[in-house]
Amino acid sequence: MLLRVQPGRMDITTQRVAIVTGGSRGIGRHAAERLAADGLAVVVGYGGGKVEAQEAVAAITAAGGKAIAVQADVADESAVAALFDAAEREFGGVDVVVHAAGQMVLSTVVDLDLADLDRMHRTNIRGTFVVDQQAARRVRAGGAIVNFSSTMTRLQVPTYAGYAASKGAVEAVTLILARELRGRDITVNAVAPGPTATALYFDGKDEATIARAAAQPPLERLGTPADIAEVVSFLAGPARWVNGQVIYTNGGIA
């Protein structure tokens, strides 16, 4: 249980605290459980998956960790402020923010319903901005902000234009915020997973498409949520000299 108080030194007297948006399922849940295993108290932020969020909290507490679940629409500034309020009220502050909430709608440019585009960008772009705004105001010195981009920003894969555009915006916000927090001893990075075995990834894909994706990396498999959570753990804790970066976590696709 660690709280960094100044560069190069640790104080083991105070437990660090993490907020994980999208923490009720998929990569977000694995990140929440990994951070709890690392000794952090965790606030599991969720949108609509109340039962799943409660299950995540139960899993963390059963393993000896501390966690609560808080509902928040990540694009609603009042709801996100209340999420941070809950973390501060329950655990005394915020040291790590992992923004894993996101939406993915796949379609060619010519066929994409603009309502779906707006909904996806509201969560992925506005949501990132709103969460990062609160994080920039509240994360304590020695803390970390971890956003989620996607390897699809580097690959010109048909049907991903709207989603990749939203994740390109996440990268821009991440890199600029890292520089705006100069002097605060807070790192800001983004993780950019490749194809990862989650419900979000499998939705709408046939077996042949999934098999082709699994064959792409030199490691010849899809990523797992645990693979991604390992990188989140690194950025949230020991990676104090990694800042303003996009970490492509894809088994070697690109």
Side-chain angles (χ1 to χ4, degrees), residues 158-233:
T159 73
Y160 278 87
Y163 177 73
S166 74
K167 292 303 185 176
V170 170
E171 293 187 8
V173 172
T174 299
L175 302 184
I176 291 170
L177 181 59
R179 286 145 183 86
E180 290 181 347
L181 294 183
R182 174 181 291 275
R184 294 271 305 277
D185 190 24
I186 296 170
T187 62
V188 188
N189 295 287
V191 179
T196 304
T198 66
L200 179 66
Y201 178 75
F202 289 136
D203 186 33
K205 294 181 176 66
D206 59 30
E207 290 186 9
T209 299
I210 294 168
R212 284 194 299 272
Q216 281 185 292
L219 298 177
E220 295 188 329
R221 66 173 175 84
L222 294 177
T224 68
D227 291 327
I228 312 305
E230 184 175 17
V231 179
V232 171
S233 171

Side-chain angles (χ1 to χ4, degrees), residues 4 10 48 59 67 80 82 94 116-117 134 142 144-145 154 158 208 216 222:
R4 179 177 287 277
M10 291 283 189
V80 172
V94 179
D116 287 337
L117 180 71
Q134 286 296 321
I145 300 168
R154 283 182 144 184
Q216 281 185 292
L222 294 177

Side-chain angles (χ1 to χ4, degrees), residues 38-63:
D38 290 342
L40 282 75
V42 178
V43 178
V44 176
Y46 68 95
K50 182 177 181 179
V51 172
E52 293 162 305
Q54 291 172 337
E55 289 172 350
V57 168
I60 290 170
T61 55

Side-chain angles (χ1 to χ4, degrees), residues 20-199:
V20 181
T21 70
S24 63
R25 64 188 72 172
I27 291 171
R29 175 164 176 174
H30 278 76
E33 293 182 359
R34 174 57 187 266
L35 293 176
D38 290 342
L40 282 75
V42 178
V43 178
V44 176
Y46 68 95
K50 182 177 181 179
V51 172
E52 293 162 305
Q54 291 172 337
E55 289 172 350
V57 168
I60 290 170
T61 55
K66 295 181 181 179
I68 60 171
V70 179
Q71 194 277 335
D73 173 357
V74 294
D76 181 331
E77 61 269 36
S78 296
V80 172
L83 172 65
F84 278 75
D85 288 344
E88 292 175 344
R89 182 171 58 252
E90 184 73 17
F91 298 122
V94 179
D95 302 285
V96 174
V97 174
V98 178
H99 178 45
Q103 292 194 16
M104 180 170 64
V105 179
L106 301 183
S107 172
T108 60
V109 171
V110 70
D111 291 326
L112 181 59
D113 187 322
L114 294 182
D116 287 337
L117 180 71
D118 290 343
R119 177 167 54 86
M120 181 166 52
H121 284 198
R122 180 180 184 274
T123 297
N124 296 357
I125 300 176
R126 180 185 170 91
T128 297
F129 203 97
V130 169
V131 171
D132 281 8
Q133 187 175 66
Q134 286 296 321
R137 292 170 178 171
R138 306 216 207 182
V139 168
R140 295 185 286 206
I145 300 168
V146 182
N147 291 324
F148 269 82
S149 179
S150 169
T151 291
M152 290 304 168
T153 61
R154 283 182 144 184
L155 305 176
Q156 292 73 50
V157 179
T159 73
Y160 278 87
Y163 177 73
S166 74
K167 292 303 185 176
V170 170
E171 293 187 8
V173 172
T174 299
L175 302 184
I176 291 170
L177 181 59
R179 286 145 183 86
E180 290 181 347
L181 294 183
R182 174 181 291 275
R184 294 271 305 277
D185 190 24
I186 296 170
T187 62
V188 188
N189 295 287
V191 179
T196 304
T198 66

Side-chain angles (χ1 to χ4, degrees), residues 234-248:
F234 175 64
L235 294 174
R240 299 310 303 166
W241 200 234
V242 180
N243 189 30
Q245 304 298 316
V246 180
I247 310 300
Y248 292 91

